[in-house]
């Protein structure tokens, strides 16, 4: 079985550095397009050895702010999720659709994670929260926002 190597992209880090990364996927969310990129980093194992690993993260895609193509690369084989069958609300909304934000919360032992409602990483039967409820829950000690959906991007700005 042959695996497809994700094509390279230029990734701009928060401090302005540009590094080579790999483009794994593209996804439409209510907050806009996201690119799942991976970059090589060093990691320390439980045995205190250093090994290379790939760190992946979803980043906003807008006007080459974070991710730029590498000249001459083909991106046609990159998986693109515009209308996942199990999550139809992630598709671009039809005209006139109510674009309010809805949230859900995941509580596990010692952790509280907020997700956009319908996030594939969120609880499928979680309660729907308003923005006010989500911001209140996010302000509690130990709460964090999901990195797979736009929750972190939106809630960190509140």
């Amino acid at each position: 079985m042959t695996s497809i190597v994700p094509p390279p992209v230029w990734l701009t880090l928060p401090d302005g550095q540009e590094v080579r990364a790999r483009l794994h996927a593209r996804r439409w969310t209510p907050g806009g397009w996201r690119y799942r990129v991976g970059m090589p980093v060093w990691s320390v194992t439980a045995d205190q050895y250093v090994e290379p690993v790939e760190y992946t993260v979803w980043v906003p895609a807008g006007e080459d702010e974070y991710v730029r193509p590498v000249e001459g690369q083909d991106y046609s084989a990159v998986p693109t999720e515009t209308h996942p069958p199990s999550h139809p609300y992630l598709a671009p909304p039809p005209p006139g659709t109510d674009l309010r934000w809805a949230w859900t919360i995941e509580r596990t032992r010692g952790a509280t994670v907020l997700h956009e409602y319908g996030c594939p990483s969120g609880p499928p039967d979680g309660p729907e929260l308003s923005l006010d409820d989500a911001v209140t829950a996010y302000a509690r000690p130990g709460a964090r926002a999901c990195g797979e959906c736009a929750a972190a991007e939106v809630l960190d700005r509140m």
Side-chain angles (χ1 to χ4, degrees):
M1 183 168 125
T2 305
S3 65
I4 297 173
V5 176
V9 291
W10 288 109
L11 175 66
T12 303
L13 300 179
D15 66 358
Q17 293 182 70
E18 283 194 330
V19 297
R20 272 304 219 356
R22 299 253 175 221
L23 180 60
H24 289 273
R26 298 175 276 214
R27 174 188 292 166
W28 173 258
T29 72
W33 283 99
R34 302 285 182 268
Y35 292 152
R36 185 169 162 247
V37 295
M39 62 182 216
V41 294
W42 294 105
S43 179
V44 178
T45 67
D47 299 333
Q48 299 301 307
Y49 291 104
V50 176
E51 65 182 9
V53 297
E54 183 176 57
Y55 175 76
T56 61
V57 63
W58 287 98
V59 296
E63 305 197 19
D64 300 333
E65 186 176 359
Y66 300 106
V67 179
R68 290 185 303 109
V70 172
E71 191 173 326
Q73 291 296 313
D74 178 15
Y75 298 98
S76 62
V78 175
T80 302
E81 303 170 14
T82 56
H83 194 270
S86 60
H87 300 286
Y89 37 77
L90 292 178
T97 301
D98 178 11
L99 294 178
R100 68 184 171 83
W101 285 99
W103 308 92
T104 191
I105 193 165
E106 174 184 12
R107 289 191 174 101
T108 59
R109 281 194 212 167
T112 299
V113 182
L114 282 113
H115 302 268
E116 283 183 302
Y117 195 82
C119 171
S121 297
D125 57 349
E128 183 175 332
L129 304 176
S130 69
L131 179 59
D132 287 340
D133 292 337
V135 170
T136 300
Y138 191 54
R140 292 189 180 117
R144 66 181 182 82
C146 173
E148 294 292 313
C149 62
E153 179 186 351
V154 174
L155 293 173
D156 283 343
R157 294 180 183 186
M158 297 293 172

